[in-house]
Amino acid sequence: MGGVAEVVVATTVLESKEWYLAAYVPENVPTSDHLKLRTTKVSLEHNLIPDQHVVLQTLLISVDPYLRSMMTGRVGDLYLPPLQLDKVITGFGLGKVVKSKNSNLKEGDIVVNPYCPVAEYCVVPLDFLQKIDPTPNIPLPNYMSSLGVPGFTAWVAIELIWNPKPESNVFISAAAGGVGMFAGQLAKLKGCRVVGSTGSDEKVQLLKEEFGYDDAFNYWKESDFDVALAKYFPNGIDYYLDNVGGKMLESVLNNVNKGAHIAISGMMSQYNTIPSEREGVNNLMNMIGKEVKMEGFLCGTYLNRYGEFAQQMEVYLKEEKIIAKHKINEGIESFLESFVSLFSSSNLGKVIVQVAK
Ligand code: NAP
């Protein structure tokens, strides 16, 4: 009898590994002292699942830099709420329904979960889940990249914030990363001349040969960004999508054309530094004479346009006008390493953790 009882318990309770923040990270990259993995239990017992909730098995987790600003313990960096210590971290993810207490979702359905615990399993309300119908044309990782946060952010910048005229000179930093690879391709579809900066020769080659960039350079090899930008933009910069901040932003302001429009998406070079030690931009005065517009933005503000974006992006993907590259790391255990890799030039394309298949 004891054996039978054990079998029932084993099938109704799942072990689930999850990542949580054990200590805030005011500066430098997080380590295993800050981000820790633990094992919890998730019950499949019908009565223990709240109504209008589902149990999800996480398949994919999008690894996004914005989480860094939520780990500092300071309020205000990106105006995102700090993560709570000892609570499971949440990000953007994709899951499979393993148990449902709502008739709209059934076992086996695949859903995008914008508040996905970085965990193998979770019990979540239906509120923000979006069911997808996978097609062979659009592999699942695309829901974390081209159709996820990076693709949408790139589209917001190119389509909604700029809508550039053909022939405009566009510069994109972190060009081979999640946001960068889509931004460059979208700007090319608008007929712009697009140049990207990135952190390795392999990525420079990829930008030119696969993403259709007109030119690209490895910023680690440039001793003077002013000189590099003058070389790659003999006719000046009309649009800059800033993903890195710091000295690159300053050099862009030394190479802009009159009426240039800078969209500030993020500042990878500054996220691991405390505010008082961040690099300042010394030449903001250039904005006056050149009548430059500089605009920070959050893709979340434009969520009402997501449907329009997704429709357009799905067509581009099916017609292969836009391609996506992914750096897929296997297993929930790889989350810390995956996250830290964002702050180096070691990865290419969108970083994703594959938790299960
Ligand atoms: P990602 O570009 O895939 O990864 C980050 C990349 O940044 C790295 O691959 C690395 O590429 C580069 N990088 C790392 N440290 C750097 C440094 N010190 N100096 C210069 N470059 C450095 O990440 P992502 O998710 O697509 O995000 C890109 C940017 O978009 C980030 O700034 C992020 O915060 C921002 N973002 C903004 C929004 C929004 O709503 N505003 C939404 C999503 C993302 P290389 O060194 O090889 O170039």
Side-chain angles (χ1 to χ4, degrees):
M1 285 298 284
V4 173
E6 270 165 34
V7 170
V8 173
V9 169
T11 52
T12 56
V13 177
L14 300 166
E15 291 218 323
S16 172
K17 291 190 216 97
E18 65 177 28
W19 283 94
Y20 67 101
L21 189 68
Y24 286 117
V25 201
E27 57 186 323
N28 302 319
V29 289
T31 67
S32 54
D33 289 338
H34 309 103
L35 284 163
K36 291 185 187 290
L37 192 63
R38 67 185 167 206
T39 301
T40 59
K41 291 195 187 326
V42 171
S43 175
L44 292 177
E45 189 74 51
H46 188 79
N47 294 337
L48 295 179
I49 303 168
D51 285 340
Q52 308 306 322
H53 281 57
V54 290
V55 181
L56 295 180
Q57 178 181 30
T58 307
L59 303 181
L60 301 171
I61 290 172
S62 169
V63 184
D64 291 307
Y66 74 86
L67 278 176
R68 179 66 189 90
S69 71
M70 298 168 78
M71 294 177 186
T72 61
R74 295 183 294 266
V75 181
D77 270 17
L78 291 181
Y79 299 97
L80 296 170
L83 293 175
Q84 286 184 42
L85 295 180
D86 295 324
K87 288 262 161 62
V88 63
I89 295 168
T90 54
F92 196 84
L94 191 91
K96 183 161 73 178
V97 178
V98 290
K99 204 95 191 171
S100 174
K101 279 184 84 169
N102 177 280
S103 54
N104 292 328
L105 284 178
K106 59 179 190 320
E107 286 173 28
D109 282 348
I110 305 286
V111 292
V112 170
N113 182 4
Y115 301 100
C116 177
V118 182
E120 290 176 300
Y121 293 92
C122 60
V123 184
V124 287
L126 254 70
D127 308 1
F128 299 103
L129 302 182
Q130 199 198 335
K131 187 182 161 196
I132 58 163
D133 295 310
T135 78
N137 287 329
I138 304 178
L140 287 184
N142 276 274
Y143 291 91
M144 303 290 98
S145 65
S146 51
L147 291 164
V149 176
F152 185 50
T153 304
W155 184 83
V156 166
I158 308 298
E159 198 67 42
L160 304 185
I161 295 182
W162 292 348
N163 196 13
K165 288 199 193 86
E167 316 283 315
S168 303
N169 292 291
V170 172
F171 177 46
I172 292 166
S173 53
V179 174
M181 68 177 155
F182 299 118
Q185 294 179 86
L186 288 167
K188 280 307 297 175
L189 287 170
K190 292 256 174 211
C192 300
R193 177 178 177 270
V194 186
V195 177
S197 64
T198 186
S200 77
D201 292 347
E202 185 198 356
K203 293 201 246 187
V204 166
Q205 204 177 346
L206 182 99
L207 287 175
K208 294 198 281 191
E209 290 175 5
E210 294 198 44
F211 294 144
Y213 274 68
D214 294 284
D215 220 330
F217 62 93
N218 178 347
Y219 65 92
W220 292 114
K221 287 189 165 172
E222 302 290 345
S223 53
D224 186 331
F225 293 164
D226 283 356
V227 173
L229 290 177
K231 184 170 93 188
Y232 288 99
F233 288 95
N235 299 318
I237 296 170
D238 300 308
Y239 294 95
Y240 173 44
L241 179 61
D242 189 11
N243 286 315
V244 303
K247 285 285 166 239
M248 193 63 91
L249 176 56
E250 193 168 284
S251 289
V252 166
L253 281 171
N254 287 332
N255 283 279
V256 279
N257 289 329
K258 194 148 177 121
H261 195 162
I262 297 175
I264 308 276
S265 161
M267 298 204 168
M268 289 306 296
S269 72
Q270 308 298 308
Y271 289 153
N272 292 312
T273 312
I274 55 171
S276 59
E277 286 176 16
R278 287 183 184 150
E279 279 177 309
V281 175
N282 288 317
N283 53 355
L284 283 176
M285 223 191 276
N286 292 5
M287 291 178 67
I288 307 166
K290 290 275 176 79
E291 297 189 313
V292 174
K293 189 170 172 189
M294 193 165 351
E295 184 172 354
F297 72 100
L298 290 172
C299 65
T301 303
Y302 299 85
L303 272 184
N304 61 333
R305 305 292 295 269
Y306 181 85
E308 185 188 336
F309 150 76
Q311 222 172 11
Q312 207 179 94
M313 184 57 92
E314 282 179 18
V315 172
Y316 287 151
L317 292 168
K318 283 177 189 156
E319 292 177 353
E320 295 181 6
K321 287 188 172 147
I322 293 227
I323 58 163
K325 291 270 177 205
H326 304 112
K327 173 77 179 85
I328 297 180
N329 298 320
E330 299 286 333
I332 188 115
E333 293 80 3
S334 71
F335 179 75
L336 172 59
E337 194 190 323
S338 301
F339 185 70
V340 169
S341 80
L342 294 176
F343 301 98
S344 71
S345 299
S346 64
N347 48 53
L348 191 162
K350 172 67 197 157
V351 180
I352 296 170
V353 170
Q354 175 114 44
V355 182
K357 286 189 174 156

